[in-house]
Amino acid sequence: MGGHAGTPEEHTIARKPQPEGGQAPVVQRVRIRYAKRGPLRFTSHRDFARAFERALRRAAVPIAFSQGFTPHPKISYASAAPTGVASEAEYLEIGLQAPVDPEALRAALDAALSPGLDVLDAVIAEGGNLPDRIEASLWHIEMPEVDPAVLRAAVDAFVAADEVLVERMTKQGRRTFDARAAVISINASAPTPTPSGAPDVPCAILELVVRQVTPSVRPDDVLSGLRVVADLEPPVSPRVTRLAQGTLTAQGAIVDPLDADRDGAAIVGH
């Protein structure tokens, strides 16, 4: 997982790269889970897309291309995390001109990407629409220099509110929307104890499950909502990580969207 070991020759799918502009039909679709970690969390979606296309070429993946004068590789992304946010659960789907072994594909792409952009899983698509399986996300937010008791009080005020209106600039201009309605669960806690001798700096942990809505409600929107209801202003930038996204159960748990392509259905989250 995230090894990126070996030579390029050891981590290729085909004997030679497929030529760009090939018009062979899609014979297999593969769904991929990847992570953005460490400094690579600052990779924008556009930069990741370019890096991923380079990785496809380096790994000699038999990617299928669209028709027309400017063919594009058959890649579709599902609900990418905002720039600056780490994630353990990003998803995409690729169409291939020839069948491949999913684990060999995962290893080859992982080796071709920079450490911090880590390919965690790959499965053959067995039908359905991947974006339709993304109903909610589980977020973990570390808030250094915030007292956990202060965060709990802000969370209580947020939960008690019928609506929490926040503003954000969107492609359609500045919009006001309700950040409360999309939040399925929100919990504040203290981190696990630090090793003996570590600086005694307060830190609070916020975990929330947010439903996929339009316009999307992001972790920074929820933080803005805490500022609205409780005047909570973190002194330093919170560290945000998406831990999971997928189908939402009646109990508020999240099912990995790739599980529908396997036998069984494991539940991730609360």
Side-chain angles (χ1 to χ4, degrees):
M1 210 165 78
H4 308 283
T7 65
E9 291 77 12
E10 292 172 335
H11 291 283
T12 57
I13 298 299
R15 290 186 176 275
K16 58 183 179 180
Q18 297 293 316
E20 291 193 20
Q23 305 301 313
V26 172
V27 301
Q28 184 186 64
R29 295 186 183 276
V30 177
R31 290 167 178 165
I32 291 169
R33 176 179 178 175
Y34 66 96
K36 291 170 60 178
R37 297 167 170 162
L40 272 298
R41 70 187 186 277
F42 294 107
T43 304
S44 70
H45 177 64
R46 182 174 296 180
D47 288 341
F48 173 79
R50 285 195 290 260
F52 187 73
E53 290 183 24
R54 288 195 298 268
L56 289 170
R57 291 193 293 271
R58 283 198 293 268
V61 175
I63 191 74
F65 286 82
S66 63
Q67 304 290 328
F69 292 105
T70 56
H72 298 287
K74 292 272 191 177
I75 308 169
S76 57
Y77 297 90
S79 187
T83 303
V85 171
S87 179
E88 294 295 312
E90 300 298 287
Y91 294 91
L92 60 83
E93 179 176 300
I94 58 176
L96 302 176
Q97 300 177 6
V100 302
D101 175 70
E103 175 53 27
L105 174 69
R106 186 209 65 78
L109 288 173
D110 191 53
L113 286 165
S114 299
L117 297 176
D118 303 321
V119 182
L120 307 180
D121 199 1
V123 299
I124 297 172
E126 296 293 344
N129 188 5
L130 181 59
D132 289 345
R133 300 179 188 172
I134 308 295
E135 296 179 344
S137 292
L138 169 64
W139 301 93
H140 175 92
I141 305 174
E142 297 180 20
M143 304 176 70
E145 300 184 31
V146 173
D147 189 310
V150 172
L151 179 59
R152 288 191 193 100
V155 166
D156 289 343
F158 184 91
V159 171
D162 291 330
E163 66 175 9
V164 179
L165 298 180
V166 299
E167 288 188 348
R168 174 163 38 96
M169 185 63 71
T170 69
K171 293 179 180 178
Q172 292 75 37
R174 184 166 293 279
R175 296 190 60 178
T176 300
F177 55 93
D178 181 14
R180 174 67 186 90
V183 176
I184 297 162
S185 68
I186 179 169
N187 298 286
S189 64
T192 55
T194 56
S196 178
D200 187 18
V201 177
C203 181
I205 303 296
L206 185 67
E207 283 206 349
L208 59 149
V209 175
V210 180
R211 189 185 300 275
Q212 196 85 355
V213 294
T214 303
S216 62
V217 173
R218 306 182 309 201
D220 57 324
D221 298 320
V222 176
L223 295 175
S224 295
L226 296 176
R227 185 165 56 249
V228 168
V229 299
D231 200 28
L232 178 64
E233 189 72 56
V236 297
S237 297
R239 296 191 290 266
V240 182
T241 302
R242 174 150 56 190
L243 298 181
Q245 59 174 327
T247 306
L248 190 66
T249 70
Q251 294 74 33
I254 294 176
V255 178
D256 185 336
L258 303 190
D259 284 347
D261 298 302
R262 305 188 186 96
D263 293 330
I267 292 178
V268 180
H270 295 308

PDB file of all heavy atoms in Angstrom, residues 42-66:
ATOM      1  N   PHE A  42      -2.051  18.969  -0.942  1.00  0.00           N
ATOM      2  CA  PHE A  42      -2.196  20.270  -1.601  1.00  0.00           C
ATOM      3  C   PHE A  42      -2.269  20.145  -3.130  1.00  0.00           C
ATOM      4  O   PHE A  42      -2.353  21.155  -3.822  1.00  0.00           O
ATOM      5  CB  PHE A  42      -1.032  21.188  -1.209  1.00  0.00           C
ATOM      6  CG  PHE A  42      -1.054  21.557   0.253  1.00  0.00           C
ATOM      7  CD1 PHE A  42      -0.144  21.008   1.136  1.00  0.00           C
ATOM      8  CD2 PHE A  42      -2.000  22.438   0.745  1.00  0.00           C
ATOM      9  CE1 PHE A  42      -0.165  21.328   2.484  1.00  0.00           C
ATOM     10  CE2 PHE A  42      -2.033  22.773   2.086  1.00  0.00           C
ATOM     11  CZ  PHE A  42      -1.112  22.212   2.961  1.00  0.00           C
ATOM     12  N   THR A  43      -2.226  18.912  -3.638  1.00  0.00           N
ATOM     13  CA  THR A  43      -2.383  18.700  -5.076  1.00  0.00           C
ATOM     14  C   THR A  43      -3.822  19.020  -5.485  1.00  0.00           C
ATOM     15  O   THR A  43      -4.771  18.470  -4.918  1.00  0.00           O
ATOM     16  CB  THR A  43      -2.063  17.235  -5.435  1.00  0.00           C
ATOM     17  OG1 THR A  43      -0.753  16.913  -4.983  1.00  0.00           O
ATOM     18  CG2 THR A  43      -2.153  17.015  -6.932  1.00  0.00           C
ATOM     19  N   SER A  44      -3.988  19.905  -6.448  1.00  0.00           N
ATOM     20  CA  SER A  44      -5.337  20.224  -6.928  1.00  0.00           C
ATOM     21  C   SER A  44      -5.874  19.055  -7.739  1.00  0.00           C
ATOM     22  O   SER A  44      -5.115  18.179  -8.184  1.00  0.00           O
ATOM     23  CB  SER A  44      -5.321  21.485  -7.784  1.00  0.00           C
ATOM     24  OG  SER A  44      -4.658  21.236  -9.016  1.00  0.00           O
ATOM     25  N   HIS A  45      -7.180  19.046  -7.955  1.00  0.00           N
ATOM     26  CA  HIS A  45      -7.779  17.972  -8.759  1.00  0.00           C
ATOM     27  C   HIS A  45      -7.194  17.969 -10.169  1.00  0.00           C
ATOM     28  O   HIS A  45      -6.899  16.904 -10.729  1.00  0.00           O
ATOM     29  CB  HIS A  45      -9.296  18.147  -8.814  1.00  0.00           C
ATOM     30  CG  HIS A  45      -9.969  17.131  -9.688  1.00  0.00           C
ATOM     31  ND1 HIS A  45      -9.947  15.770  -9.406  1.00  0.00           N
ATOM     32  CD2 HIS A  45     -10.661  17.256 -10.851  1.00  0.00           C
ATOM     33  CE1 HIS A  45     -10.601  15.118 -10.356  1.00  0.00           C
ATOM     34  NE2 HIS A  45     -11.034  15.994 -11.236  1.00  0.00           N
ATOM     35  N   ARG A  46      -6.989  19.149 -10.753  1.00  0.00           N
ATOM     36  CA  ARG A  46      -6.428  19.221 -12.103  1.00  0.00           C
ATOM     37  C   ARG A  46      -5.009  18.667 -12.128  1.00  0.00           C
ATOM     38  O   ARG A  46      -4.635  17.930 -13.047  1.00  0.00           O
ATOM     39  CB  ARG A  46      -6.445  20.675 -12.587  1.00  0.00           C
ATOM     40  CG  ARG A  46      -5.923  20.847 -14.010  1.00  0.00           C
ATOM     41  CD  ARG A  46      -6.100  22.270 -14.485  1.00  0.00           C
ATOM     42  NE  ARG A  46      -7.514  22.633 -14.579  1.00  0.00           N
ATOM     43  CZ  ARG A  46      -7.945  23.824 -14.963  1.00  0.00           C
ATOM     44  NH1 ARG A  46      -7.067  24.773 -15.256  1.00  0.00           N
ATOM     45  NH2 ARG A  46      -9.235  24.065 -15.039  1.00  0.00           N
ATOM     46  N   ASP A  47      -4.196  19.017 -11.114  1.00  0.00           N
ATOM     47  CA  ASP A  47      -2.823  18.505 -11.061  1.00  0.00           C
ATOM     48  C   ASP A  47      -2.814  16.991 -10.873  1.00  0.00           C
ATOM     49  O   ASP A  47      -1.987  16.285 -11.464  1.00  0.00           O
ATOM     50  CB  ASP A  47      -2.039  19.177  -9.933  1.00  0.00           C
ATOM     51  CG  ASP A  47      -1.695  20.621 -10.244  1.00  0.00           C
ATOM     52  OD1 ASP A  47      -1.726  21.002 -11.433  1.00  0.00           O
ATOM     53  OD2 ASP A  47      -1.420  21.383  -9.292  1.00  0.00           O
ATOM     54  N   PHE A  48      -3.726  16.491 -10.028  1.00  0.00           N
ATOM     55  CA  PHE A  48      -3.786  15.036  -9.859  1.00  0.00           C
ATOM     56  C   PHE A  48      -4.167  14.356 -11.165  1.00  0.00           C
ATOM     57  O   PHE A  48      -3.599  13.316 -11.521  1.00  0.00           O
ATOM     58  CB  PHE A  48      -4.777  14.633  -8.765  1.00  0.00           C
ATOM     59  CG  PHE A  48      -4.959  13.138  -8.701  1.00  0.00           C
ATOM     60  CD1 PHE A  48      -4.020  12.343  -8.064  1.00  0.00           C
ATOM     61  CD2 PHE A  48      -6.031  12.515  -9.334  1.00  0.00           C
ATOM     62  CE1 PHE A  48      -4.143  10.956  -8.048  1.00  0.00           C
ATOM     63  CE2 PHE A  48      -6.165  11.135  -9.328  1.00  0.00           C
ATOM     64  CZ  PHE A  48      -5.221  10.361  -8.674  1.00  0.00           C
ATOM     65  N   ALA A  49      -5.135  14.932 -11.881  1.00  0.00           N
ATOM     66  CA  ALA A  49      -5.563  14.325 -13.150  1.00  0.00           C
ATOM     67  C   ALA A  49      -4.386  14.231 -14.123  1.00  0.00           C
ATOM     68  O   ALA A  49      -4.226  13.210 -14.811  1.00  0.00           O
ATOM     69  CB  ALA A  49      -6.707  15.132 -13.752  1.00  0.00           C
ATOM     70  N   ARG A  50      -3.570  15.284 -14.182  1.00  0.00           N
ATOM     71  CA  ARG A  50      -2.394  15.228 -15.066  1.00  0.00           C
ATOM     72  C   ARG A  50      -1.407  14.161 -14.600  1.00  0.00           C
ATOM     73  O   ARG A  50      -0.851  13.413 -15.415  1.00  0.00           O
ATOM     74  CB  ARG A  50      -1.721  16.605 -15.122  1.00  0.00           C
ATOM     75  CG  ARG A  50      -2.471  17.623 -15.973  1.00  0.00           C
ATOM     76  CD  ARG A  50      -1.586  18.809 -16.292  1.00  0.00           C
ATOM     77  NE  ARG A  50      -1.342  19.616 -15.108  1.00  0.00           N
ATOM     78  CZ  ARG A  50      -1.979  20.753 -14.824  1.00  0.00           C
ATOM     79  NH1 ARG A  50      -2.916  21.201 -15.644  1.00  0.00           N
ATOM     80  NH2 ARG A  50      -1.701  21.440 -13.738  1.00  0.00           N
ATOM     81  N   ALA A  51      -1.174  14.105 -13.289  1.00  0.00           N
ATOM     82  CA  ALA A  51      -0.242  13.110 -12.756  1.00  0.00           C
ATOM     83  C   ALA A  51      -0.756  11.697 -13.007  1.00  0.00           C
ATOM     84  O   ALA A  51       0.024  10.788 -13.327  1.00  0.00           O
ATOM     85  CB  ALA A  51      -0.029  13.343 -11.253  1.00  0.00           C
ATOM     86  N   PHE A  52      -2.064  11.504 -12.891  1.00  0.00           N
ATOM     87  CA  PHE A  52      -2.630  10.172 -13.093  1.00  0.00           C
ATOM     88  C   PHE A  52      -2.517   9.749 -14.555  1.00  0.00           C
ATOM     89  O   PHE A  52      -2.205   8.586 -14.843  1.00  0.00           O
ATOM     90  CB  PHE A  52      -4.093  10.148 -12.635  1.00  0.00           C
ATOM     91  CG  PHE A  52      -4.695   8.778 -12.656  1.00  0.00           C
ATOM     92  CD1 PHE A  52      -4.336   7.831 -11.716  1.00  0.00           C
ATOM     93  CD2 PHE A  52      -5.614   8.421 -13.632  1.00  0.00           C
ATOM     94  CE1 PHE A  52      -4.884   6.555 -11.740  1.00  0.00           C
ATOM     95  CE2 PHE A  52      -6.164   7.154 -13.669  1.00  0.00           C
ATOM     96  CZ  PHE A  52      -5.794   6.216 -12.712  1.00  0.00           C
ATOM     97  N   GLU A  53      -2.727  10.668 -15.478  1.00  0.00           N
ATOM     98  CA  GLU A  53      -2.583  10.334 -16.898  1.00  0.00           C
ATOM     99  C   GLU A  53      -1.135   9.980 -17.232  1.00  0.00           C
ATOM    100  O   GLU A  53      -0.878   9.068 -18.019  1.00  0.00           O
ATOM    101  CB  GLU A  53      -3.081  11.489 -17.762  1.00  0.00           C
ATOM    102  CG  GLU A  53      -4.600  11.657 -17.710  1.00  0.00           C
ATOM    103  CD  GLU A  53      -5.105  12.756 -18.627  1.00  0.00           C
ATOM    104  OE1 GLU A  53      -4.419  13.078 -19.613  1.00  0.00           O
ATOM    105  OE2 GLU A  53      -6.193  13.300 -18.345  1.00  0.00           O
ATOM    106  N   ARG A  54      -0.186  10.691 -16.606  1.00  0.00           N
ATOM    107  CA  ARG A  54       1.228  10.325 -16.802  1.00  0.00           C
ATOM    108  C   ARG A  54       1.498   8.937 -16.241  1.00  0.00           C
ATOM    109  O   ARG A  54       2.233   8.143 -16.840  1.00  0.00           O
ATOM    110  CB  ARG A  54       2.143  11.358 -16.154  1.00  0.00           C
ATOM    111  CG  ARG A  54       2.194  12.699 -16.885  1.00  0.00           C
ATOM    112  CD  ARG A  54       3.370  13.533 -16.419  1.00  0.00           C
ATOM    113  NE  ARG A  54       3.274  13.856 -14.997  1.00  0.00           N
ATOM    114  CZ  ARG A  54       2.701  14.946 -14.512  1.00  0.00           C
ATOM    115  NH1 ARG A  54       2.139  15.831 -15.340  1.00  0.00           N
ATOM    116  NH2 ARG A  54       2.680  15.174 -13.212  1.00  0.00           N
ATOM    117  N   ALA A  55       0.909   8.639 -15.079  1.00  0.00           N
ATOM    118  CA  ALA A  55       1.103   7.316 -14.476  1.00  0.00           C
ATOM    119  C   ALA A  55       0.531   6.219 -15.359  1.00  0.00           C
ATOM    120  O   ALA A  55       1.125   5.144 -15.485  1.00  0.00           O
ATOM    121  CB  ALA A  55       0.450   7.285 -13.088  1.00  0.00           C
ATOM    122  N   LEU A  56      -0.600   6.471 -15.994  1.00  0.00           N
ATOM    123  CA  LEU A  56      -1.166   5.492 -16.927  1.00  0.00           C
ATOM    124  C   LEU A  56      -0.192   5.197 -18.062  1.00  0.00           C
ATOM    125  O   LEU A  56      -0.009   4.031 -18.461  1.00  0.00           O
ATOM    126  CB  LEU A  56      -2.488   6.013 -17.499  1.00  0.00           C
ATOM    127  CG  LEU A  56      -3.688   6.061 -16.554  1.00  0.00           C
ATOM    128  CD1 LEU A  56      -4.837   6.827 -17.198  1.00  0.00           C
ATOM    129  CD2 LEU A  56      -4.146   4.656 -16.162  1.00  0.00           C
ATOM    130  N   ARG A  57       0.450   6.249 -18.589  1.00  0.00           N
ATOM    131  CA  ARG A  57       1.413   6.038 -19.676  1.00  0.00           C
ATOM    132  C   ARG A  57       2.641   5.286 -19.179  1.00  0.00           C
ATOM    133  O   ARG A  57       3.114   4.348 -19.841  1.00  0.00           O
ATOM    134  CB  ARG A  57       1.815   7.387 -20.288  1.00  0.00           C
ATOM    135  CG  ARG A  57       0.690   8.060 -21.068  1.00  0.00           C
ATOM    136  CD  ARG A  57       1.210   9.196 -21.909  1.00  0.00           C
ATOM    137  NE  ARG A  57       1.713  10.312 -21.107  1.00  0.00           N
ATOM    138  CZ  ARG A  57       0.971  11.324 -20.689  1.00  0.00           C
ATOM    139  NH1 ARG A  57      -0.323  11.372 -20.982  1.00  0.00           N
ATOM    140  NH2 ARG A  57       1.507  12.307 -19.981  1.00  0.00           N
ATOM    141  N   ARG A  58       3.184   5.681 -18.021  1.00  0.00           N
ATOM    142  CA  ARG A  58       4.381   5.020 -17.503  1.00  0.00           C
ATOM    143  C   ARG A  58       4.121   3.551 -17.196  1.00  0.00           C
ATOM    144  O   ARG A  58       4.993   2.703 -17.380  1.00  0.00           O
ATOM    145  CB  ARG A  58       4.887   5.748 -16.250  1.00  0.00           C
ATOM    146  CG  ARG A  58       5.618   7.038 -16.551  1.00  0.00           C
ATOM    147  CD  ARG A  58       6.457   7.464 -15.353  1.00  0.00           C
ATOM    148  NE  ARG A  58       5.615   7.848 -14.222  1.00  0.00           N
ATOM    149  CZ  ARG A  58       5.201   9.086 -13.978  1.00  0.00           C
ATOM    150  NH1 ARG A  58       5.544  10.068 -14.803  1.00  0.00           N
ATOM    151  NH2 ARG A  58       4.454   9.347 -12.935  1.00  0.00           N
ATOM    152  N   ALA A  59       2.911   3.253 -16.696  1.00  0.00           N
ATOM    153  CA  ALA A  59       2.580   1.875 -16.351  1.00  0.00           C
ATOM    154  C   ALA A  59       2.088   1.079 -17.552  1.00  0.00           C
ATOM    155  O   ALA A  59       1.775  -0.112 -17.420  1.00  0.00           O
ATOM    156  CB  ALA A  59       1.511   1.866 -15.249  1.00  0.00           C
ATOM    157  N   ALA A  60       2.032   1.711 -18.728  1.00  0.00           N
ATOM    158  CA  ALA A  60       1.588   1.050 -19.958  1.00  0.00           C
ATOM    159  C   ALA A  60       0.207   0.430 -19.801  1.00  0.00           C
ATOM    160  O   ALA A  60      -0.061  -0.681 -20.270  1.00  0.00           O
ATOM    161  CB  ALA A  60       2.610   0.001 -20.400  1.00  0.00           C
ATOM    162  N   VAL A  61      -0.674   1.158 -19.151  1.00  0.00           N
ATOM    163  CA  VAL A  61      -2.053   0.685 -18.978  1.00  0.00           C
ATOM    164  C   VAL A  61      -2.795   0.823 -20.310  1.00  0.00           C
ATOM    165  O   VAL A  61      -2.722   1.886 -20.946  1.00  0.00           O
ATOM    166  CB  VAL A  61      -2.756   1.509 -17.878  1.00  0.00           C
ATOM    167  CG1 VAL A  61      -4.228   1.111 -17.766  1.00  0.00           C
ATOM    168  CG2 VAL A  61      -2.045   1.319 -16.537  1.00  0.00           C
ATOM    169  N   PRO A  62      -3.522  -0.202 -20.747  1.00  0.00           N
ATOM    170  CA  PRO A  62      -4.228  -0.133 -22.038  1.00  0.00           C
ATOM    171  C   PRO A  62      -5.521   0.695 -21.924  1.00  0.00           C
ATOM    172  O   PRO A  62      -6.628   0.189 -22.106  1.00  0.00           O
ATOM    173  CB  PRO A  62      -4.514  -1.595 -22.362  1.00  0.00           C
ATOM    174  CG  PRO A  62      -4.637  -2.255 -21.020  1.00  0.00           C
ATOM    175  CD  PRO A  62      -3.621  -1.555 -20.142  1.00  0.00           C
ATOM    176  N   ILE A  63      -5.341   1.958 -21.643  1.00  0.00           N
ATOM    177  CA  ILE A  63      -6.478   2.848 -21.435  1.00  0.00           C
ATOM    178  C   ILE A  63      -7.236   3.064 -22.738  1.00  0.00           C
ATOM    179  O   ILE A  63      -6.635   3.167 -23.813  1.00  0.00           O
ATOM    180  CB  ILE A  63      -6.001   4.199 -20.841  1.00  0.00           C
ATOM    181  CG1 ILE A  63      -7.189   5.054 -20.366  1.00  0.00           C
ATOM    182  CG2 ILE A  63      -5.114   4.939 -21.811  1.00  0.00           C
ATOM    183  CD1 ILE A  63      -7.811   4.572 -19.101  1.00  0.00           C
ATOM    184  N   ALA A  64      -8.546   3.126 -22.676  1.00  0.00           N
ATOM    185  CA  ALA A  64      -9.367   3.445 -23.841  1.00  0.00           C
ATOM    186  C   ALA A  64      -9.485   4.955 -23.976  1.00  0.00           C
ATOM    187  O   ALA A  64      -9.329   5.699 -23.000  1.00  0.00           O
ATOM    188  CB  ALA A  64     -10.743   2.808 -23.698  1.00  0.00           C
ATOM    189  N   PHE A  65      -9.734   5.411 -25.200  1.00  0.00           N
ATOM    190  CA  PHE A  65      -9.834   6.839 -25.485  1.00  0.00           C
ATOM    191  C   PHE A  65     -11.192   7.162 -26.084  1.00  0.00           C
ATOM    192  O   PHE A  65     -11.836   6.321 -26.718  1.00  0.00           O
ATOM    193  CB  PHE A  65      -8.712   7.281 -26.437  1.00  0.00           C
ATOM    194  CG  PHE A  65      -7.361   7.351 -25.790  1.00  0.00           C
ATOM    195  CD1 PHE A  65      -6.598   6.193 -25.636  1.00  0.00           C
ATOM    196  CD2 PHE A  65      -6.859   8.546 -25.330  1.00  0.00           C
ATOM    197  CE1 PHE A  65      -5.357   6.240 -25.035  1.00  0.00           C
ATOM    198  CE2 PHE A  65      -5.608   8.606 -24.722  1.00  0.00           C
ATOM    199  CZ  PHE A  65      -4.859   7.461 -24.572  1.00  0.00           C
ATOM    200  N   SER A  66     -11.589   8.413 -25.904  1.00  0.00           N
ATOM    201  CA  SER A  66     -12.829   8.899 -26.512  1.00  0.00           C
ATOM    202  C   SER A  66     -12.643   9.052 -28.015  1.00  0.00           C
ATOM    203  O   SER A  66     -11.519   9.089 -28.522  1.00  0.00           O
ATOM    204  CB  SER A  66     -13.225  10.238 -25.889  1.00  0.00           C
ATOM    205  OG  SER A  66     -12.224  11.217 -26.154  1.00  0.00           O
TER     206      SER A  66
END
